[in-house]
Amino acid sequence: MNDKTSFPFWNTDWLEAQRKYMEAWTTLSQEAMRKAAVPGSEGNGGTTWDATPMNKALEYWWKSVSHAADDDTRAFYGKLLDQTQAFYFVTDQLSRFLQGLADAARNTDEWQQELDKHFEEMKAVLMNVHGQSGEALSSMVGAWQMPMDTLQRTLSSASVFPGDFMQGFEPDLQAFKSDDIRQVTDRFLSVPGIGYTRESQEQVQNGFRLWLRYQSTFNEYQAGFAKVAVQSLDHMKSCIMDKAGKGEAISTLRELYDLWVDCNETAYAEYAMSGEYSEIYGRLVNDLMAVKQHGRHVMDSIASSFNMPSRKEINTMQKRQQQNRRELMAFKSKVEELEEKLQRFEKSGQAQSSRPTAGTQAATRPAAKPSPARQSRTTKKKTRKKSTSRKA
Amino acid sequence: MFPFQIRPDELAAEVNQFNTKLAQGFSTLRDIGEIEVGASAKDPVYSEDKLVLYRFKPRVEQVNKTPLLIVYALVNRPYMADLQDGRSMIQGLLDAGQDVYLIDWGYPDAADRYLDLNDYINGYIDRCVDFMRRHHKLDKINLLGICQGGTFSLCYTALHPDKIRNLVTTVTPVDFHTRDDMLSNLVRNIDVDLLVDTMGNIPGELLNWTYLGLKPYRLMGQKYMDLVNMLDDVDQARNFMRMEKWIFDSPDQAGEAFRQFTRQFYQENRLVKGAVDIGGNIVNLENIKLPVLNIFAAADHLVPPDASKALRGCVGTSDYTELEFPGGHIGIYVSGKAQKMIPPAVGEWLQARG
């Protein structure tokens, strides 16, 4: 079997394009490495790789083959490709960053100081996501957005809005951070409703106020994650120093990626276990729920105005229905208990009528043992009585 | 030496290899077919609303006369305990001579919004237990709880000690306020009344993302990179997809039960205080004087070991056994190591106690 038949997508353009790209890229990078190499030194040249063409090639390939799969496979593989692109992105950015450090390290004996300097720069960028910074460092910030993406999905599953709803408002939301604009907004929201529609005016104002509160909390939450990113850099620096001390090397992109994952998980776990995180996460969920509940009240008012059932009314019905079912089960259980009792009495009565002298004998005979289910109900009653008295 | 030592040609080769695996893996996944779950033969023997009680067919001749009821959590689906041939705790228990029953809670919908913990514990579980007692003509049965189902089993046994002979709990939270409980920290400040009043039932998807959010970089990213490396092996790929199916097969949670569980257990940590209120009955774990086997996972990120081990100080029994599994919350049911360790240990422990 030759290579062409063993490979399922040999005839797709993507692989050919990738092969050509890799060949050209390797040639170029080797050339660059030769130019940058310091005579007598070990290690890499001053080259990095660029993940963008790879991602584009991946997208192109996916478009050409995805129609061959069923919906489930397509959805899952789409997710897998998203993660692959994230993998390329993270390793691309990290390898650029570390390559810069390696170059600096080659030119100085005090590479630890360079390491410190680069990491401090990186931390400064992460602490000020919207601030001005070098292009390479700014794009690196994107790699730390994964938990935010997860959170957006979490919130969107509980929200009427799609996951990236808030992202679309980003430029305007920045404006709300300005105190002046915020004051104007607050004044607008404080204007009392007047006239026939005053209640609906207040309703709209209140909804807007709740939404702003949620957005403000979301910004706070996001700022918290900038701290996680900074903390993860500290962990990463310490891991690199540790490896250097032991003479260990990071020799594959996958090792680099795994190191990044470990450092981020450690930093995230530290933050997620803090009281600060618990408080802000709770507030975030509560503020989102307040927005959603407000929306529901508005919908309920509209439904009521059309004489349509509101959520509130349906809740009442469901609650009553559940209570009825509980009572029904209790009655059913009671009827079964009484039936068993009746059967025992009937048996006992038949025995008495068939034997005229049985009455005196029955009085000395122990009572029939109840069935397991009957017995359980009796015991349950006792337990309940006991528990209630303990509670009291 | 600076530890970053990747030569560009090596880097290119690595990326090339990765992409090749990714492309080949597409055909593996495309042709993998329907993912089947559930390895062991079973019959539905009792049903009520959306609940179905299953009885598994025995795999050995000598079967324990006291049947074993498995109570699964309300979160996710119970087929995780019987995922596939060779990775099934239930199969192992059947091989160990147990007569196994399992409660499948089904998928609650809006009509189940007002089911509360009393309905689940003193209603559904109690009626399943009574069904088994009647069917086997026994006063007592054995009970095994999984995760939240373990917590339910503890509450049930404390309230109905006369119906249970032996109790096994697996990865079961008891103390919800241990220092390393991230899930507990996450829900501590949530206004659960507002959440339930707003959402009604709690969407399973919301819970899924919450669990994934406990280890976001690992569970949302790195895991899939691992998959690429195993896509050339159809069996490994199928196993991965089976787990993936289970992880995202998450029923909605009945609103009232969720409200009570979150508040009483996660937020107020009432179980260890002897203050959980189930339908007006106070759960006192000291009432559990029957034999207890408590199994926990050393690397459990959802229910930390200390959260489970707290049970020792709460129950009133003198026959208390702990078993530590060297793995995680899911591995305890599906890993190869678990198959050799957990079901035989449970079987042996139960056989020794009748």
Side-chain angles (χ1 to χ4, degrees), chain A residues 18 77 88 250 268 296 325, chain B residues 3 16 19 22 49 197 213:
Chain A
Q18 177 189 291
Y77 222 76
Y88 285 151
I250 299 165
Y268 173 73
R296 204 193 74 196
R325 294 179 77 247
Chain B
N16 200 17
N19 284 340
L22 196 63
D49 299 339
D197 291 346

Side-chain angles (χ1 to χ4, degrees), chain A residues 344 347-352 354-355 357-369:
Chain A
R344 279 203 306 281
K347 275 182 193 167
S348 161
Q350 280 167 2
Q352 280 182 4
S354 64
R355 281 178 291 178
T357 53
T360 47
Q361 289 172 2
T364 57
R365 206 180 298 142
K369 194 182 175 190

Side-chain angles (χ1 to χ4, degrees), chain B residues 252-278:
Chain B
D252 294 346
Q253 303 294 296
E256 284 311 304
F258 182 88
R259 185 202 308 264
Q260 292 177 354
F261 193 75
T262 304
R263 173 169 307 125
Q264 294 199 44
F265 292 82
Y266 271 102
Q267 294 185 331
E268 298 176 356
N269 200 21
R270 286 202 204 176
L271 189 59
V272 288
K273 297 173 187 165
V276 166
D277 184 335
I278 306 287

